[in-house]
Every structure is written in C-alpha cells, then in structure tokens.
Amino acid sequence: MAKYRIAWLPGDGVGKDVLDAARIVLDALKLDAEYVHGDIGWEFWCREGNPLPERTIEMLKTTDCALFGAITSKPQKEAEEELAPELKGKGLQYRSPIVRLRQLFDLYINLRPAKAYKGNPLNIKEGIDLVIFRENTEDLYFGVEFHPVPEEMRKIPGMERVPADAAVSLKVITPKGAERIIRAAFEYAKKKGRKKVTCVHKANVVRLSDGLFLDTAKRIAEEYPDIEFDHANVDAMCMWLVKNPERYDVLVAPNLYGDIISDLASQLVGGLGFASAANIGDNYAVFEPVHGSAPKYAGQYKVNPIATILAVKLMLEYLREEEKAEKLERAVAEVIEEGKVKTYDMGGENTTLEVAEEIAKKVS
Ligand code: NAI
Ligand code: MG
C-alpha cells in the first residue's frame, strides 16, 4: 500500500491540463502515493444536478488530502438551462464545490503565498516573498443574509435605522474563528523562521467584529516575542502592498480582506499563472491553483502549470515531505530563472506539459 492516498480532482477546462502537469512532477519526485480520481465540476451539475456528487465526498473522506484543478461555474439562470432535461424545473440550486468543500471539511485556513521568483518577467518588483493567511469560513462569507429585513430583526435596538427593504449581510467573526487563523499564521511564521506577522483589518470603522479580530491578534502576538507584530487597515494595506511589498512577510486577515489582498498580491508576482492556494483544516486539506477553468484554453495545454506545481509544493509541506517540497520549489525557481521553457503568459511558446517536464528533469 502506498504511504499517501491523494484525491485527484481535475474538474473542468484547464483544470485537467494543469493536473496532468502536476502528475509529471509528482511522478518525478517519486512520492509514494496513490491518486484517486474524483468526479467534480460542471459536467456533473449538468448530468446529475450536483457538481460535487456524494460519492466524491465519501471518497475524499478516505484520502489524506486533495489536489484540485478548477471548475466552471455559471449564474443560476444559465446553470438551470444547461441541466439535463429530466432535471429541469426541480428547483436545483448550483452551489460552488470548492466553497462546499471548505464548509464540509472546515478548511478554515486559506494560505496564499506570493513570491517573486528571480527572472520572472512578470514580477513588479524583486524581493517579494509574502504569505497570506486568509480566514476561510466566517466574515461576510458566513452566509447569513436577509432581504427584506425581517420585522422581528428591526425591533433590535439600532436596527430601526435599517429600512425594511434593505439587503443585509452579516459579518460574523467569532473568537474561535479569529484565534485559530491567527494562531496558524504565527505557528507558520515560527516554523518557517519568518520575521513578522501583520494583521489586516478595518477596526477603526468596523469596531466590534474587526476589533475582536485585531484584539485577538494582539493577544496571541504576545505569546511569540521573537516574531515582530504589526497591523494595518485594509485600505492602507493595499496601498503599501503596491508600494513596498518586499517589507511584508506573513499577513493574516479575515475572509473578505484576505480575498482582496491575496488577489492583489498575486498580481505583484506574475498573476494567475503563479498563484497557488492551500485550504487547510485540522483534519483535511485541499490544494489548488487560484485560477479558474479558462474555457478558451481548455485541452490546449497552453496555460502555465506553475501555479498548480506550487500548489503541489504546498501539499508536500502539508504531508511533511519537506525535502521534496524544497527540491520542487528549487526546480521551479531554476526553470523560471533560466527562462528557456515558458508558457505564453511569460512571453514563451512552450506547452503546459513541456514546462512540467523541464521542472521534473530537475527533481528526478
Ligand atoms: P480564469 O482564471 O479561468 O481565466 C481568466 C484568464 O486568465 C484566462 O483566460 C487566461 O487568460 C488567464 N489564465 C488563467 N489561468 C492561467 C494560467 N494557468 N496560465 C496563464 N494564464 C492563465 O477566470 P475566468 O475566465 O473568469 O473564469 C472561467 C471559469 O472558471 C468560470 O466558470 C469561473 O466561474 C471559473 N472559476 C473557477 C475557479 C476555481 O475553480 N477555483 C476560480 C475562478 C474562476
Ligand atoms: Mg478571490
């Protein structure tokens, strides 16, 4: 039996292309793993009315973690139109599989590195090497919304200012939710020898929820005297990240701010072809490139596999295969610096698989 059982979730469009690339480097690294294919994505919505079938969820429960490509999603009206005839008119609602996975497995950490690999023509600046810890389950994504506002709710003191016809979305930050993501950020900094953790918030305006997040960060920071701690408002943070990104190290933020700053940060170091993410909980994790299914490139093996290969690196770290993770990252860095083999986004003409093979050569 193999040491690891890894769920293999290519999904739609270029998700398949980039997972083929991932497999090339995993095989070259000789990871002792068994890869188990899982059905996920648009095809299963259309055919079965569920983009994340129950059999896939059951399979995931038997694995150590998952590598996910990308999925196509469309607004409800279009989704309804593409359903198989026998499924139409049954009130089926499309739900994003990746959001469902985060909820099902309580994957509360969204880890997004942004690193300027030397020689990447797309870097805005050299010296950028930051890691964002985005809380992945709460905040405005908690899912409690009202429209119109229930009369009962408008009786709560303060709520009378909210018109009945308003749409209201609750921003929920819990002590447990704040603590576990902030602790994860500090533990990561400690383990990786990183120097600073910056808490991103808007506590001067959103006083109670962001205030709770910031106070929690300040309290936990005291337990890590060797790690510098600071904090900034999210708007200022966006400005600083554009101006002096090399000054930041580990950032920790509630869900929405984390979503925004991580997309901003990815664009500083090459954009979607380089952006990888890990969704991590206490018992499971899902690794993915940040990009979507890029339908216009589906099956053409044109897109950059580096985002996915860096997601593989995060997966190897999660599996405590540190040596393989480092080896893989070094190989990626070398291939970027040599600049001989590159996909279209970097100004090259190589295929997804040629880039993966070049990286694989350096790890085998
Ligand atoms: P997208 O990320 O799929 O592609 C946008 C554009 O970015 C592409 O046309 C391409 O020019 C570029 N790009 C993407 N990945 C690249 C790579 N690896 N290398 C080089 N260039 C790359 O976003 P889009 O077009 O907005 O969405 C397409 C579909 O993907 C939609 O159905 C959307 O809902 C879904 N989506 C899924 C995500 C996921 O599965 N995690 C995330 C984002 C979008
Ligand atoms: Mg986003």
Side-chain angles (χ1 to χ4, degrees), residues 14-41:
V14 299
K16 295 188 171 71
D17 304 27
V18 294
L19 254 58
D20 284 350
R23 190 55 181 272
I24 291 173
V25 300
L26 280 164
D27 287 348
L29 282 164
K30 301 192 174 62
L31 186 71
D32 185 9
E34 173 191 2
Y35 303 98
V36 193
H37 177 93
D39 292 340
I40 190 170

mmCIF file of all heavy atoms in Angstrom, residues 14-41:
data_model
loop_
_atom_site.group_PDB
_atom_site.id
_atom_site.type_symbol
_atom_site.label_atom_id
_atom_site.label_comp_id
_atom_site.label_asym_id
_atom_site.label_seq_id
_atom_site.Cartn_x
_atom_site.Cartn_y
_atom_site.Cartn_z
ATOM 1 N N VAL A 14 -9.121 23.848 -18.171
ATOM 2 C CA VAL A 14 -7.680 23.680 -17.994
ATOM 3 C C VAL A 14 -7.326 22.991 -16.674
ATOM 4 O O VAL A 14 -6.161 22.671 -16.440
ATOM 5 C CB VAL A 14 -6.905 25.019 -18.104
ATOM 6 C CG1 VAL A 14 -7.099 25.649 -19.475
ATOM 7 C CG2 VAL A 14 -7.277 25.980 -16.990
ATOM 8 N N GLY A 15 -8.322 22.780 -15.817
ATOM 9 C CA GLY A 15 -8.075 22.007 -14.593
ATOM 10 C C GLY A 15 -7.429 20.668 -14.939
ATOM 11 O O GLY A 15 -6.527 20.195 -14.248
ATOM 12 N N LYS A 16 -7.896 20.077 -16.029
ATOM 13 C CA LYS A 16 -7.339 18.779 -16.465
ATOM 14 C C LYS A 16 -5.904 18.956 -16.967
ATOM 15 O O LYS A 16 -5.027 18.156 -16.651
ATOM 16 C CB LYS A 16 -8.195 18.181 -17.581
ATOM 17 C CG LYS A 16 -9.607 17.820 -17.142
ATOM 18 C CD LYS A 16 -10.333 17.040 -18.247
ATOM 19 C CE LYS A 16 -11.667 16.473 -17.800
ATOM 20 N NZ LYS A 16 -12.719 17.481 -17.586
ATOM 21 N N ASP A 17 -5.672 20.017 -17.742
ATOM 22 C CA ASP A 17 -4.325 20.261 -18.292
ATOM 23 C C ASP A 17 -3.304 20.415 -17.161
ATOM 24 O O ASP A 17 -2.225 19.824 -17.185
ATOM 25 C CB ASP A 17 -4.299 21.551 -19.135
ATOM 26 C CG ASP A 17 -5.322 21.560 -20.273
ATOM 27 O OD1 ASP A 17 -6.362 20.889 -20.155
ATOM 28 O OD2 ASP A 17 -5.085 22.270 -21.274
ATOM 29 N N VAL A 18 -3.666 21.240 -16.178
ATOM 30 C CA VAL A 18 -2.676 21.532 -15.129
ATOM 31 C C VAL A 18 -2.486 20.351 -14.167
ATOM 32 O O VAL A 18 -1.400 20.175 -13.613
ATOM 33 C CB VAL A 18 -3.004 22.846 -14.360
ATOM 34 C CG1 VAL A 18 -2.868 24.047 -15.285
ATOM 35 C CG2 VAL A 18 -4.374 22.820 -13.699
ATOM 36 N N LEU A 19 -3.537 19.528 -13.995
ATOM 37 C CA LEU A 19 -3.324 18.352 -13.145
ATOM 38 C C LEU A 19 -2.469 17.292 -13.852
ATOM 39 O O LEU A 19 -1.713 16.568 -13.205
ATOM 40 C CB LEU A 19 -4.641 17.783 -12.598
ATOM 41 C CG LEU A 19 -4.818 18.110 -11.093
ATOM 42 C CD1 LEU A 19 -4.781 19.582 -10.812
ATOM 43 C CD2 LEU A 19 -5.981 17.427 -10.473
ATOM 44 N N ASP A 20 -2.560 17.222 -15.166
ATOM 45 C CA ASP A 20 -1.633 16.348 -15.906
ATOM 46 C C ASP A 20 -0.188 16.801 -15.657
ATOM 47 O O ASP A 20 0.718 15.985 -15.485
ATOM 48 C CB ASP A 20 -1.919 16.393 -17.419
ATOM 49 C CG ASP A 20 -3.167 15.587 -17.788
ATOM 50 O OD1 ASP A 20 -3.689 14.860 -16.924
ATOM 51 O OD2 ASP A 20 -3.615 15.709 -18.955
ATOM 52 N N ALA A 21 0.001 18.116 -15.629
ATOM 53 C CA ALA A 21 1.339 18.663 -15.369
ATOM 54 C C ALA A 21 1.787 18.318 -13.949
ATOM 55 O O ALA A 21 2.942 17.941 -13.716
ATOM 56 C CB ALA A 21 1.330 20.177 -15.580
ATOM 57 N N ALA A 22 0.864 18.431 -13.001
ATOM 58 C CA ALA A 22 1.187 18.128 -11.605
ATOM 59 C C ALA A 22 1.658 16.680 -11.467
ATOM 60 O O ALA A 22 2.598 16.375 -10.729
ATOM 61 C CB ALA A 22 -0.038 18.368 -10.724
ATOM 62 N N ARG A 23 0.992 15.807 -12.222
ATOM 63 C CA ARG A 23 1.318 14.386 -12.123
ATOM 64 C C ARG A 23 2.739 14.101 -12.607
ATOM 65 O O ARG A 23 3.440 13.242 -12.055
ATOM 66 C CB ARG A 23 0.286 13.596 -12.930
ATOM 67 C CG ARG A 23 0.352 12.135 -12.737
ATOM 68 C CD ARG A 23 0.245 11.780 -11.240
ATOM 69 N NE ARG A 23 0.341 10.356 -11.117
ATOM 70 C CZ ARG A 23 -0.701 9.540 -11.189
ATOM 71 N NH1 ARG A 23 -1.912 10.022 -11.307
ATOM 72 N NH2 ARG A 23 -0.542 8.251 -11.111
ATOM 73 N N ILE A 24 3.158 14.850 -13.618
ATOM 74 C CA ILE A 24 4.519 14.665 -14.145
ATOM 75 C C ILE A 24 5.558 14.968 -13.056
ATOM 76 O O ILE A 24 6.511 14.216 -12.855
ATOM 77 C CB ILE A 24 4.732 15.565 -15.392
ATOM 78 C CG1 ILE A 24 3.880 15.035 -16.554
ATOM 79 C CG2 ILE A 24 6.218 15.643 -15.784
ATOM 80 C CD1 ILE A 24 3.858 15.932 -17.789
ATOM 81 N N VAL A 25 5.343 16.059 -12.311
ATOM 82 C CA VAL A 25 6.350 16.377 -11.283
ATOM 83 C C VAL A 25 6.232 15.444 -10.077
ATOM 84 O O VAL A 25 7.248 15.067 -9.477
ATOM 85 C CB VAL A 25 6.316 17.872 -10.841
ATOM 86 C CG1 VAL A 25 6.588 18.794 -12.002
ATOM 87 C CG2 VAL A 25 5.025 18.247 -10.148
ATOM 88 N N LEU A 26 5.008 15.046 -9.732
ATOM 89 C CA LEU A 26 4.851 14.118 -8.595
ATOM 90 C C LEU A 26 5.516 12.778 -8.899
ATOM 91 O O LEU A 26 6.163 12.183 -8.029
ATOM 92 C CB LEU A 26 3.371 13.931 -8.263
ATOM 93 C CG LEU A 26 2.774 15.069 -7.433
ATOM 94 C CD1 LEU A 26 1.253 15.026 -7.467
ATOM 95 C CD2 LEU A 26 3.267 15.009 -5.976
ATOM 96 N N ASP A 27 5.360 12.310 -10.145
ATOM 97 C CA ASP A 27 5.995 11.048 -10.526
ATOM 98 C C ASP A 27 7.523 11.187 -10.508
ATOM 99 O O ASP A 27 8.228 10.284 -10.053
ATOM 100 C CB ASP A 27 5.501 10.582 -11.901
ATOM 101 C CG ASP A 27 4.063 10.056 -11.834
ATOM 102 O OD1 ASP A 27 3.564 9.843 -10.707
ATOM 103 O OD2 ASP A 27 3.431 9.884 -12.894
ATOM 104 N N ALA A 28 8.014 12.336 -10.969
ATOM 105 C CA ALA A 28 9.469 12.542 -10.966
ATOM 106 C C ALA A 28 9.999 12.587 -9.529
ATOM 107 O O ALA A 28 11.112 12.131 -9.252
ATOM 108 C CB ALA A 28 9.815 13.837 -11.706
ATOM 109 N N LEU A 29 9.206 13.117 -8.623
ATOM 110 C CA LEU A 29 9.623 13.191 -7.208
ATOM 111 C C LEU A 29 9.512 11.833 -6.514
ATOM 112 O O LEU A 29 9.948 11.663 -5.386
ATOM 113 C CB LEU A 29 8.744 14.190 -6.449
ATOM 114 C CG LEU A 29 9.063 15.666 -6.642
ATOM 115 C CD1 LEU A 29 7.884 16.524 -6.163
ATOM 116 C CD2 LEU A 29 10.331 16.066 -5.879
ATOM 117 N N LYS A 30 8.878 10.886 -7.191
ATOM 118 C CA LYS A 30 8.632 9.543 -6.643
ATOM 119 C C LYS A 30 7.929 9.608 -5.286
ATOM 120 O O LYS A 30 8.290 8.902 -4.332
ATOM 121 C CB LYS A 30 9.945 8.762 -6.515
ATOM 122 C CG LYS A 30 10.659 8.592 -7.850
ATOM 123 C CD LYS A 30 11.786 7.568 -7.753
ATOM 124 C CE LYS A 30 12.402 7.286 -9.096
ATOM 125 N NZ LYS A 30 13.031 8.485 -9.720
ATOM 126 N N LEU A 31 6.911 10.438 -5.218
ATOM 127 C CA LEU A 31 6.110 10.451 -3.990
ATOM 128 C C LEU A 31 5.383 9.116 -3.888
ATOM 129 O O LEU A 31 4.792 8.655 -4.872
ATOM 130 C CB LEU A 31 5.091 11.612 -4.026
ATOM 131 C CG LEU A 31 4.310 11.783 -2.724
ATOM 132 C CD1 LEU A 31 5.203 12.341 -1.616
ATOM 133 C CD2 LEU A 31 3.092 12.680 -2.918
ATOM 134 N N ASP A 32 5.448 8.515 -2.710
ATOM 135 C CA ASP A 32 4.827 7.209 -2.510
ATOM 136 C C ASP A 32 3.326 7.408 -2.281
ATOM 137 O O ASP A 32 2.844 7.421 -1.148
ATOM 138 C CB ASP A 32 5.493 6.532 -1.306
ATOM 139 C CG ASP A 32 4.989 5.112 -1.094
ATOM 140 O OD1 ASP A 32 4.248 4.603 -1.984
ATOM 141 O OD2 ASP A 32 5.307 4.538 -0.041
ATOM 142 N N ALA A 33 2.610 7.619 -3.374
ATOM 143 C CA ALA A 33 1.194 7.953 -3.240
ATOM 144 C C ALA A 33 0.346 7.233 -4.260
ATOM 145 O O ALA A 33 0.792 6.881 -5.352
ATOM 146 C CB ALA A 33 0.997 9.454 -3.398
ATOM 147 N N GLU A 34 -0.914 7.082 -3.856
ATOM 148 C CA GLU A 34 -1.932 6.539 -4.750
ATOM 149 C C GLU A 34 -2.869 7.710 -5.041
ATOM 150 O O GLU A 34 -3.228 8.458 -4.129
ATOM 151 C CB GLU A 34 -2.653 5.443 -3.975
ATOM 152 C CG GLU A 34 -3.844 4.847 -4.628
ATOM 153 C CD GLU A 34 -4.634 3.968 -3.629
ATOM 154 O OE1 GLU A 34 -4.225 3.891 -2.443
ATOM 155 O OE2 GLU A 34 -5.636 3.402 -4.050
ATOM 156 N N TYR A 35 -3.204 7.919 -6.315
ATOM 157 C CA TYR A 35 -4.057 9.049 -6.690
ATOM 158 C C TYR A 35 -5.431 8.530 -7.078
ATOM 159 O O TYR A 35 -5.552 7.673 -7.959
ATOM 160 C CB TYR A 35 -3.411 9.824 -7.844
ATOM 161 C CG TYR A 35 -2.010 10.299 -7.487
ATOM 162 C CD1 TYR A 35 -0.878 9.582 -7.892
ATOM 163 C CD2 TYR A 35 -1.818 11.439 -6.709
ATOM 164 C CE1 TYR A 35 0.399 9.988 -7.542
ATOM 165 C CE2 TYR A 35 -0.545 11.854 -6.348
ATOM 166 C CZ TYR A 35 0.562 11.121 -6.770
ATOM 167 O OH TYR A 35 1.819 11.524 -6.406
ATOM 168 N N VAL A 36 -6.444 9.057 -6.407
ATOM 169 C CA VAL A 36 -7.800 8.547 -6.616
ATOM 170 C C VAL A 36 -8.648 9.615 -7.297
ATOM 171 O O VAL A 36 -8.892 10.684 -6.731
ATOM 172 C CB VAL A 36 -8.456 8.178 -5.263
ATOM 173 C CG1 VAL A 36 -9.715 7.355 -5.500
ATOM 174 C CG2 VAL A 36 -7.474 7.439 -4.366
ATOM 175 N N HIS A 37 -9.094 9.299 -8.504
ATOM 176 C CA HIS A 37 -9.868 10.280 -9.263
ATOM 177 C C HIS A 37 -11.242 10.527 -8.634
ATOM 178 O O HIS A 37 -11.925 9.611 -8.207
ATOM 179 C CB HIS A 37 -10.057 9.779 -10.700
ATOM 180 C CG HIS A 37 -10.912 10.705 -11.510
ATOM 181 N ND1 HIS A 37 -10.383 11.703 -12.281
ATOM 182 C CD2 HIS A 37 -12.260 10.816 -11.620
ATOM 183 C CE1 HIS A 37 -11.367 12.391 -12.852
ATOM 184 N NE2 HIS A 37 -12.521 11.870 -12.459
ATOM 185 N N GLY A 38 -11.635 11.796 -8.605
ATOM 186 C CA GLY A 38 -12.971 12.141 -8.106
ATOM 187 C C GLY A 38 -13.747 12.957 -9.123
ATOM 188 O O GLY A 38 -13.193 13.844 -9.777
ATOM 189 N N ASP A 39 -15.039 12.627 -9.263
ATOM 190 C CA ASP A 39 -15.909 13.388 -10.164
ATOM 191 C C ASP A 39 -16.277 14.710 -9.513
ATOM 192 O O ASP A 39 -16.802 14.732 -8.388
ATOM 193 C CB ASP A 39 -17.202 12.602 -10.430
ATOM 194 C CG ASP A 39 -16.948 11.347 -11.248
ATOM 195 O OD1 ASP A 39 -15.895 11.276 -11.912
ATOM 196 O OD2 ASP A 39 -17.813 10.451 -11.224
ATOM 197 N N ILE A 40 -16.030 15.809 -10.219
ATOM 198 C CA ILE A 40 -16.382 17.128 -9.691
ATOM 199 C C ILE A 40 -16.492 18.092 -10.872
ATOM 200 O O ILE A 40 -15.749 17.962 -11.845
ATOM 201 C CB ILE A 40 -15.309 17.614 -8.670
ATOM 202 C CG1 ILE A 40 -15.759 18.865 -7.920
ATOM 203 C CG2 ILE A 40 -13.960 17.861 -9.328
ATOM 204 C CD1 ILE A 40 -14.841 19.228 -6.733
ATOM 205 N N GLY A 41 -17.429 19.005 -10.822
ATOM 206 C CA GLY A 41 -17.463 20.063 -11.827
ATOM 207 C C GLY A 41 -18.756 20.167 -12.625
ATOM 208 O O GLY A 41 -19.766 19.515 -12.321
#
